Amino acid sequence: MNERTLICVIDDDDLMRQTIGRILREAGYDVIDTKDGDAGITAIERASPKLLITDIIMPNREGIETIREVKRRFPAIPIVAISGGGRLGPDGFLELALKLGADDCLAKPFRPADLLDKVAFFLNAQNRTQTAFV
């Protein structure tokens, strides 16, 4: 990989956001991260990341609304939704995220390898699509 790939991470939990960022950076990716969907959409506008990883339950613009807005404005960016789901668990939120535009999901807590597998899948799919048209 000659050029480092930029990934946007949105999560209101500082420790989770920092942990995901560290995992991705150690795997060779560049990361921009924000605490909510409003800041995340601004970051996407400015930096054009290749992938979005977003939490669902957040203040201001929550994850479902963020997913819908990103899919409307930046349809080529794959989205991986993540959630611990609070007291109810993540399943309902992640299922809704998939129905409303997320390309895949991960329930918190997840293993770093599972996150990296999903990231690699979507970035490799983008590379295959881009080279198919060259």
Side-chain angles (χ1 to χ4, degrees):
M1 176 172 20
N2 292 347
E3 182 180 313
R4 290 177 59 106
T5 301
L6 183 62
I7 298 172
C8 180
V9 176
I10 307 172
D11 197 312
D12 62 315
D13 181 304
D14 292 337
L15 182 58
M16 179 59 69
R17 196 175 59 254
Q18 291 166 4
T19 300
I20 292 170
R22 181 183 46 76
I23 291 166
L24 294 172
R25 285 182 187 97
E26 287 176 359
Y29 300 105
D30 286 329
V31 178
I32 52 172
D33 60 61
T34 67
K35 291 184 176 193
D36 65 50
D38 287 333
I41 288 174
T42 299
I44 291 168
E45 290 171 340
R46 292 181 180 159
S48 302
K50 299 293 184 191
L51 177 71
L52 170 62
I53 299 169
T54 185
D55 190 19
I56 301 298
I57 302 171
M58 300 181 290
N60 301 327
R61 185 187 298 251
E62 49 77 34
I64 298 296
E65 185 181 349
T66 301
I67 290 167
R68 293 181 74 186
E69 181 72 9
V70 169
K71 277 301 174 185
R72 184 181 70 76
R73 294 180 54 196
F74 313 99
I77 298 175
I79 300 171
V80 176
I82 58 174
S83 183
R87 289 179 281 169
L88 303 175
D91 294 340
F93 292 112
L94 293 174
E95 185 178 315
L96 181 60
L98 290 169
K99 287 180 182 175
L100 295 176
D103 297 286
D104 208 340
C105 61
L106 269 174
K108 295 177 187 176
F110 48 80
R111 296 176 330 140
D114 293 335
L115 174 67
L116 292 173
D117 285 348
K118 289 189 185 293
V119 167
F121 173 81
F122 286 108
L123 296 178
N124 288 336
Q126 281 181 339
N127 291 336
R128 284 191 302 272
T129 302
Q130 289 171 357
T131 57
F133 295 108
V134 174

